Amino acid sequence: MSMCSAETAVQNWFGAIPFSTDALIWVTRIGDPKYLFTIGLTLCFQLLPFERATRVLLAWSLSDSFNALLKWVFQGDRPFWLCPALHQYEITCESGFGMPSGHTMVSTAAWTAFVLTAPTPRSKMFEMIAVVMWSGLIALSRVYIAAHTVGQVFLGSVLGFAVGAYACSDSLWSLLGGTTTKATLDEPRDFAAAKPKSALPIRSLALRILGGAIICFALLELAFLSFVQGESPDEVSYRRAVVGCTAGQEHVHRSTAPLTAICRDAGALWGLSLLALPMFHERYRLGDEQESGVVKGIRCVISPLLISAAMASFRYIVPQTVSSGVSAVIGFLEFAFMALGMAGPLRIVGAGAA
């Protein structure tokens, strides 16, 4: 029982504060990689130049995939599996191992990339302070709901900062066939003038190759571990989550399994790769150049709502208790369509409405 002493103390301390439980549950929902994608990244593609928004998406995708691969390696237990005395909430019962924390790692990586691509050093310093505070709040919420240990959220934060910084590096951008200019990061309205019209900020094929490589590597690791252990790690973690969840099997979420996370990351990269095709990107550029402020404001409100509705539709159609393989395929298709939809259609419509 001593292994959960820190987690028990967090629940006792913050549980005594009025409204803290509702607030921390809200924080952990907002910190979910899926909702960071549907709301945060959608707004990035509506408000920021294509290159800066793409770097944030790369940080999201790479950190989520790396997190899933590490979970298979470490196979860390979640607190609610081991400590029945911990209070469980409606969102506690997640499948997939716990080391490191995905919510903390992915949120930290995405927001770090957002900050490092900020136009001025002064805004970077202010925003980095905000990122550290937000990362700490997400880490606290994950420990409070008994989804992660203190060590798991700490490692997630450290790795998140590292992956976010790498996603902003010129070495990765060059590897994906991109070219960098200061204007593409700093001046959204001058994006069209930053490069020739025929130039693309990143290669569509490179994104598809990266997405395919992530899936191939994950399947090889999964096959190796399944052979060594005699069972898929995702099935092991799901069974343990069912045993530990006091609310019952129907409350255990398959969508939090590592294989599902990896496939949704690859799907997002494939969806983004379509936006990098000339026929889409040229109209995307025109929409950014020609639309009025009113049109931009309207699409910034509509886009997250549409993408969130699309995700809710997928989750309504597909039950949480489907097999991990089916959940992975659905995750790939879901995020491929949403990655294309969150930036493409409304930006293109903006050109015609201007």
Side-chain angles (χ1 to χ4, degrees), residues 85-230:
L86 288 172
H87 186 76
Q88 296 184 19
Y89 300 90
E90 57 178 327
I91 57 175
T92 295
C93 298
E94 299 179 358
S95 63
F97 292 101
M99 176 68 87
S101 167
H103 282 60
T104 309
M105 183 172 172
V106 176
S107 293
T108 303
W111 287 113
T112 297
F114 178 83
V115 169
L116 293 180
T117 55
T120 64
R122 187 174 184 180
S123 64
K124 284 183 181 181
M125 182 173 61
F126 174 79
E127 291 171 358
M128 184 56 74
I129 294 173
V131 168
V132 172
M133 295 177 62
W134 179 243
S135 175
L137 198 56
I138 292 176
L140 174 63
S141 73
R142 301 301 289 164
V143 174
Y144 183 79
I145 68 168
H148 288 291
T149 65
V150 173
Q152 290 168 359
V153 297
F154 176 78
L155 181 60
S157 297
V158 173
L159 292 176
F161 282 116
V163 175
Y166 176 68
C168 295
S169 66
D170 289 341
S171 59
L172 175 62
W173 198 247
S174 299
L175 184 65
L176 296 175
T179 56
T180 303
T181 64
K182 188 175 185 297
T184 58
L185 291 173
D186 295 358
E187 302 174 8
R189 292 192 178 277
D190 293 335
F191 177 64
K195 295 186 179 75
K197 291 184 178 181
S198 59
L200 292 175
I202 196 168
R203 289 178 183 170
S204 175
L205 179 60
L207 288 171
R208 292 198 294 273
I209 291 175
L210 177 60
I214 289 173
I215 290 181
C216 290
F217 187 85
L219 291 177
L220 287 174
E221 180 184 351
L222 183 61
F224 174 77
L225 292 174
S226 298
F227 175 77
V228 171
Q229 299 176 349

